[in-house]
Amino acid sequence: MSGMASDHNNSSQEEYIPHYLQKEDPFASKLSREADIIAGFYLTVIGILSTLGNGYVIFMSSKRKKKLRPAEIMTVNLAVCDLGISVVGKPFSIISFFCHRWMFGWMGCRWYGWAGFFFGCGSLITMTAVSLDRYLKICHLSYGTWLKRHHAFICLAIIWAYATFWATVPFAGVGSYAPEPFGTSCTLDWWLAQASVAGQVFVLSILFFCLLFPTAVIVFSYVKIILKVKSSTKEVSHYDTRIQNSHILEMKLTKVAMLICAGFLIAWIPYAVVSVWSAFGRPDSVPIQFSVIPTLLAKSAAMYNPIIYQVIDCKFACCRPGGLKAKSSSKKSRTYTISAHRDSTAMNETQLE
């Protein structure tokens, strides 16, 4: 009986033909022309806002690049990933939506799929590193005494290598990039899981190493931070002003990181659910009109971060009556303020004569 079941599974996998091979033109849009135009305008607005916002973050950071803290360096890297998605990827899909078909053939499809996965993976792994940094900084105070800028740059090298590896693996014959069911965009070939055991291994590996594991680390880190903050608020109030100010800064950075991670996951999880269902559910069971909505939502993730930076900075500035001050034992006093730049949350010291 088990042999018969195995033969049946193998035969069903061999018989399965993915959507992009069922028709002569896999790049023709399966949506109405009106729907494509609406999607094109939507992505145009998202792309412009994302490019301007993340470009501004990078530009302002470059003006004080030698003063960036390790956590801020990671935030700038996140802006680089978001800008990459907007500049390298979005023009392809915008043009295709307006033209009512994918205009760049299989080579363009593979490039677009690679770029989207590369920058998306880079964003998620960067947020994973930021969450670990926040966890160690808040829950293990001694960590902050040895973390230097060069550690952050080493971490960046690891992030880019990790994203490059997983984005390039499909080109080694293990997986592939393919058109979306609606025809005007491309992504990882999730449908390989319907065709073979090797395809299932590929898809499961991508899901675990590029989604589930990083997300688990992020959730663990921020849950531990929340528990730690609840238990240590009273303790911090007994420290001197400088330690209190430093604690406030670290909590602000943590709030920014938490909101960024939440926005990213909210944008990408619906797309991940639809992709998993396409890979392991009943073939072609996801309606084409429904599959485009999570895709468009995921493409908007790059727009959120500059807005989050600004909202947190403005909220902090409005709640700060006259700045955060600390008296020193010498004749000089120092005022510690949190900079209200959109690109960073660095603490600056200004000596007053």
Side-chain angles (χ1 to χ4, degrees):
M1 292 293 291
S2 60
M4 293 177 61
S6 176
D7 292 340
H8 175 74
N9 291 336
N10 291 335
S11 62
S12 63
Q13 288 179 344
E14 291 174 358
E15 293 171 0
Y16 175 72
I17 300 176
H19 64 87
Y20 53 85
L21 295 179
Q22 293 176 5
K23 298 181 179 180
E24 293 183 1
D25 187 0
F27 299 121
S29 176
K30 312 305 186 297
L31 304 175
S32 66
R33 186 171 294 275
E34 292 76 13
D36 275 337
I37 292 175
I38 292 173
F41 275 115
Y42 170 81
L43 289 181
T44 300
V45 173
I46 294 296
I48 292 173
L49 293 177
S50 176
T51 301
L52 293 176
N54 289 291
Y56 180 79
V57 169
I58 296 170
F59 171 73
M60 294 301 294
S61 298
S62 67
K63 295 174 66 175
R64 49 182 302 276
K65 55 186 177 182
K66 294 183 179 180
K67 297 180 180 179
L68 292 176
R69 297 154 57 92
E72 294 175 303
I73 293 173
M74 304 302 292
T75 301
V76 173
N77 189 65
L78 186 60
V80 171
C81 292
D82 291 341
L83 184 64
I85 292 175
S86 301
V87 173
V88 176
K90 281 188 174 60
F92 287 83
S93 54
I94 291 171
I95 293 172
S96 296
F97 273 116
F98 281 127
C99 293
H100 197 50
R101 63 173 286 108
W102 178 259
M103 299 296 296
F104 306 99
W106 276 104
M107 286 296 293
C109 181
R110 294 186 179 98
W111 160 251
Y112 177 85
W114 181 90
F117 186 43
F118 172 72
F119 288 114
C121 182
S123 294
L124 183 57
I125 303 305
T126 299
M127 287 185 285
T128 305
V130 170
S131 69
L132 280 175
D133 172 78
R134 296 294 86 208
Y135 163 69
L136 294 172
K137 191 81 174 182
I138 300 297
C139 300
H140 301 277
L141 299 180
S142 60
Y143 167 77
T145 62
W146 62 266
L147 181 67
K148 305 299 180 184
R149 283 167 56 91
H150 68 272
H151 293 117
F153 289 115
I154 292 173
C155 188
L156 291 184
I158 295 173
I159 290 170
W160 287 111
Y162 192 93
T164 301
F165 172 79
W166 285 108
T168 309
V169 160
F171 293 130
V174 180
S176 183
Y177 294 99
E180 298 268 17
F182 50 87
T184 48
S185 182
C186 295
T187 184
L188 278 169
D189 192 347
W190 302 104
W191 302 272
L192 285 174
Q194 298 280 357
S196 66
V197 175
Q200 293 176 359
V201 172
F202 164 72
V203 170
L204 288 174
S205 299
I206 291 291
L207 287 173
F208 178 78
F209 289 104
C210 300
L211 179 63
L212 297 180
F213 178 68
T215 301
V217 173
I218 291 171
V219 172
F220 167 81
S221 299
Y222 290 124
V223 168
K224 296 293 287 185
I225 287 171
I226 291 171
L227 295 176
K228 179 66 175 180
V229 169
K230 286 184 176 180
S231 64
S232 63
T233 301
K234 293 183 180 180
E235 297 177 8
V236 173
S237 64
H238 296 297
Y239 295 142
D240 61 35
T241 307
R242 182 166 183 172
I243 295 179
Q244 291 180 24
N245 294 343
S246 178
H247 177 76
I248 292 172
L249 173 60
E250 295 301 337
M251 291 312 303
K252 183 190 176 185
L253 291 171
T254 302
K255 288 179 181 179
V256 171
M258 289 178 68
L259 285 175
I260 290 172
C261 292
F264 185 91
L265 294 176
I266 290 172
W268 278 96
I269 283 179
Y271 178 78
V273 170
V274 171
S275 298
V276 171
W277 184 259
S278 299
F280 298 101
R282 188 165 56 86
D284 306 323
S285 60
V286 179
I288 292 177
Q289 292 76 8
F290 179 77
S291 67
V292 71
I293 297 175
T295 302
L296 295 178
L297 179 62
K299 293 179 185 298
S300 67
M303 180 188 68
Y304 300 152
N305 297 342
I307 298 175
I308 292 172
Y309 305 149
Q310 180 63 18
V311 169
I312 292 294
D313 277 335
C314 288
K315 180 179 178 181
F316 191 89
C318 291
C319 296
R320 187 183 70 243
L324 300 173
K325 297 182 179 180
K327 293 182 179 180
S328 64
S329 58
S330 63
K331 293 181 180 180
K332 294 181 180 179
S333 63
R334 294 182 178 179
T335 301
Y336 296 88
T337 62
I338 307 299
S339 64
H341 297 301
R342 296 179 186 177
D343 64 308
S344 68
T345 53
M347 178 176 287
N348 298 322
E349 296 185 2
T350 304
Q351 291 192 351
L352 301 180
E353 295 294 341

